[in-house]
Amino acid sequence: MMKKGIYPVVHTPLDENENLDLQGLKACLEYYNQSDIPGVTLLGSGGELPYLSDSEQYAVIESAYHYLNHNKVIIAGIHAHSSKQAIDKITSYTPYVDYVLLLLSDYYHSSFAEYLHALKQIAQHASKPILFYYFPQITGRFFSVKQLVAILDIDNIIGIKDSSLHIPTARGVLSCLPETLYFSGLSLALEPVIKMGAAGAICPIASVSPQQAQDYYNAIEYNVAGIKKCRDKLIDVLPIINSLQLAGNTQYWVLKLLTSFPVPLVKNVSSSHAKIKHALNVMGIPINTKVRTPLPSLTSEEAEQVTSIVNGLQAKQYRN
């Protein structure tokens, strides 16, 4: 059984020339290795997966495997347009990973029946258990609960990372398939979904604050005191992964409203890659803020804001 809990999305460090920085990757992994999280997610959307070549993706997976040395579970992101492409990638990663996070996206539009058939082919031939990556803001495919249940009913698809940020969808899926491993794409959505039976989160907030995210999960899962205190620590990080223009508390309440609406309202997402890399750098992790073109680079104003937020977080931790 896959361990429940928090799986941070590892951001892929690059040097000034946009080449892989594998030493920086090891520094990030060591940061996560020192926390109580069960594992990490490599090559997620936050890891700039669609922007890396196949050989670069393989290098990230292989390097992380040798560095972690079985200390943490490894989930590997797979972005593919065809079943054959996905199967080949899963096969090449098999010696190094425990699970795969599959984002199957269209180039030409296909019907749901054709899409489902492709997923069945992948699952049948995959040598590792699959988490279905539901990210409709990127793929353009917003599925009904019935369609998601059909996907999650496929043998060897053991769960879902749901980045639709829609609580009614989570409720519908878990009421039909209570044993499926449901992971939220946002730690701050955990309180309602864990009560429904969710397994945890695969999320960007944990990329900055892995231990705090795991503490929040534990507090909810085991119904112990301090849930609000844990939540507030993550709310402080929210501007880094979302918008620097609004206070964290404001963004949290807006997200609560949006995620609870009867129909999905979150229709697009923006890149926070450079902001998260800068936050990690300010925290002492020796990585560059460089991102793969054409992702938006960090402005000097954003760098100052992120630095101020991180310094405030560290000051709070010191006082506590």
Side-chain angles (χ1 to χ4, degrees):
M1 285 293 295
M2 184 178 183
K3 294 180 180 178
K4 297 181 178 182
I6 304 296
Y7 291 82
V9 179
V10 180
H11 283 63
T12 306
L14 304 173
D15 66 19
E16 280 295 335
N17 296 315
E18 298 189 21
N19 297 313
L20 288 183
D21 173 15
L22 294 180
Q23 287 302 118
L25 176 65
K26 291 177 182 178
C28 290
L29 292 172
E30 180 55 29
Y31 174 55
Y32 301 127
N33 207 20
Q34 291 173 2
S35 70
D36 294 333
I37 56 165
V40 296
T41 304
L42 299 163
L43 301 177
S45 298
E48 299 174 52
L49 168 62
Y51 299 88
L52 303 178
S53 68
D54 287 353
S55 61
E56 287 175 322
Q57 293 172 27
Y58 184 86
V60 167
I61 295 293
E62 185 181 32
S63 178
Y65 168 79
H66 289 299
Y67 184 76
L68 288 173
N69 195 27
H70 303 288
N71 286 324
K72 298 291 182 186
V73 169
I74 293 178
I75 303 172
I78 301 281
H79 178 233
H81 294 289
S82 72
S83 53
K84 179 69 165 62
Q85 186 183 19
I87 292 165
D88 287 348
K89 278 194 172 185
I90 294 170
T91 301
S92 69
Y93 294 170
T94 291
Y96 309 113
V97 307
D98 300 289
Y99 305 92
V100 296
L101 179 63
L102 176 64
L103 182 68
L104 185 67
S105 60
D106 283 330
Y107 187 86
Y108 292 107
H109 180 72
S110 58
S111 68
F112 178 71
E114 291 163 332
Y115 187 87
L116 189 66
H117 177 67
L119 289 174
K120 288 179 179 178
Q121 281 189 316
I122 297 167
Q124 180 183 355
H125 293 94
S127 46
K128 290 293 178 179
I130 296 170
L131 294 170
F132 177 67
Y133 193 177
Y134 183 43
F135 202 173
Q137 300 93 322
I138 296 296
T139 64
R141 281 185 173 269
F142 283 84
F143 292 130
S144 67
V145 169
K146 183 178 179 180
Q147 288 172 323
L148 287 173
V149 168
I151 290 169
L152 296 171
D153 227 8
I154 298 172
D155 287 344
N156 202 34
I157 296 184
I158 62 169
I160 182 173
K161 179 197 172 182
D162 184 2
S163 291
S164 71
L165 304 183
H166 190 231
I167 303 302
T169 294
R171 183 181 297 110
V173 167
L174 285 166
S175 66
C176 294
L177 296 173
E179 298 303 314
T180 200
L181 292 168
Y182 176 95
F183 289 92
S184 172
L186 180 67
S187 293
L188 285 167
L190 282 176
E191 284 177 68
V193 297
I194 284 182
K195 293 173 183 176
M196 301 171 196
I202 300 172
C203 58
I205 286 182
S207 306
V208 178
S209 301
Q211 187 59 57
Q212 290 82 356
Q214 184 64 38
D215 290 343
Y216 182 48
Y217 167 83
N218 289 341
I220 303 166
E221 175 68 18
Y222 302 110
N223 195 26
V224 299
I227 291 177
K228 182 182 182 302
K229 184 177 181 180
C230 293
R231 183 200 314 132
D232 288 344
K233 290 179 180 179
L234 298 185
I235 289 174
D236 288 340
V237 182
L238 193 53
I240 296 174
I241 68 137
N242 195 30
S243 171
L244 291 168
Q245 308 309 314
L246 293 172
N249 270 314
T250 301
Q251 294 186 53
Y252 172 69
W253 289 108
V254 169
L255 281 169
K256 280 199 73 172
L257 178 64
L258 291 176
T259 57
S260 301
F261 206 73
V263 296
L265 292 180
V266 182
K267 299 295 186 180
N268 53 64
V269 292
S270 57
S271 164
S272 59
H273 299 79
K275 291 186 293 181
I276 290 176
K277 287 182 179 182
H278 183 64
L280 293 171
N281 180 270
V282 175
M283 292 162 61
I285 299 167
I287 63 170
N288 206 309
T289 60
K290 196 73 174 179
V291 292
R292 183 60 60 85
T293 306
L295 286 170
S297 57
L298 196 71
T299 67
S300 57
E301 181 182 0
E302 287 173 333
E304 290 177 7
Q305 289 176 291
V306 171
T307 299
S308 177
I309 292 170
V310 172
N311 288 339
L313 293 173
Q314 292 177 328
K316 282 185 179 181
Q317 290 173 7
Y318 179 79
R319 288 196 299 270
N320 293 335

